[in-house]
Amino acid sequence: MKLEEIEQLIKSGKTLEEILKLIDWKEFEEKVEEIFKIHGFKTIRNFRFKTRKRYEIDLVAEKDYVIFAVDCKKWSRGRYKISELKKFAVKQKERALELKNFFKTEKDVIPLILTLYDEGINEFEGTLIIPSFKLNNFLLQY
């Protein structure tokens, strides 16, 4: 699904959450990457690297003085989501720290989890948690 199609569906009254439910996880990651690119970020999807152990980050997005280490979670609603999200937030923070070491950079490397729905938690252990419908505004403010 192209961004133009998503825009038309939004204009017809659909919410971004309703639209993104229609695509698979891979397309979800692609759309997130497109949004970062629109905001002028250089991106690498499914970035694999090794330091102490092997790591993979769904999306690395770099611009100016910042690098976002993004983990895309296209989960449906359900029980125990917050506790799982907290576990993934800790892991994402570890991946971001290792990425900073791997790149040997002075830039801020910010761990971020992008979710399909607003899970009622914005940050945990230094990892930002942002629902997909807030990503554009978040990047505009950054």
Side-chain angles (χ1 to χ4, degrees), residues 60-117:
V60 175
E62 178 181 11
K63 181 180 176 182
D64 301 329
Y65 55 88
V66 69
I67 298 171
F68 286 104
V70 183
D71 189 18
C72 299
K73 295 291 181 207
K74 188 184 176 283
W75 292 340
S76 59
R77 295 189 183 268
R79 293 174 42 160
Y80 312 114
K81 189 74 63 67
I82 297 298
S83 61
E84 284 298 305
L85 204 46
K86 287 178 178 179
K87 288 178 193 175
F88 279 100
V90 170
K91 290 179 182 179
Q92 191 65 6
K93 182 179 179 181
E94 176 188 343
R95 287 189 283 265
L97 289 171
E98 291 298 322
L99 183 68
K100 184 173 180 73
N101 291 334
F102 181 79
F103 283 154
K104 296 177 177 53
T105 183
E106 294 299 317
K107 292 183 179 190
D108 290 332
V109 179
I110 300 171
L112 181 133
I113 296 177
L114 190 76
T115 60
L116 180 58
Y117 298 106

Side-chain angles (χ1 to χ4, degrees), residues 8 10-11 17 34 39 50 54 63-64 69 77 88 93-95 106 112-113 118 121 125 134:
Q8 288 302 318
I10 288 172
K11 286 179 181 176
E17 290 173 341
E34 286 180 43
H39 286 274
K50 182 179 178 185
R54 295 184 190 281
K63 181 180 176 182
D64 301 329
R77 295 189 183 268
F88 279 100
K93 182 179 179 181
E94 176 188 343
R95 287 189 283 265
E106 294 299 317
L112 181 133
I113 296 177
D118 189 342
I121 181 172
E125 298 284 328
K134 290 184 178 179

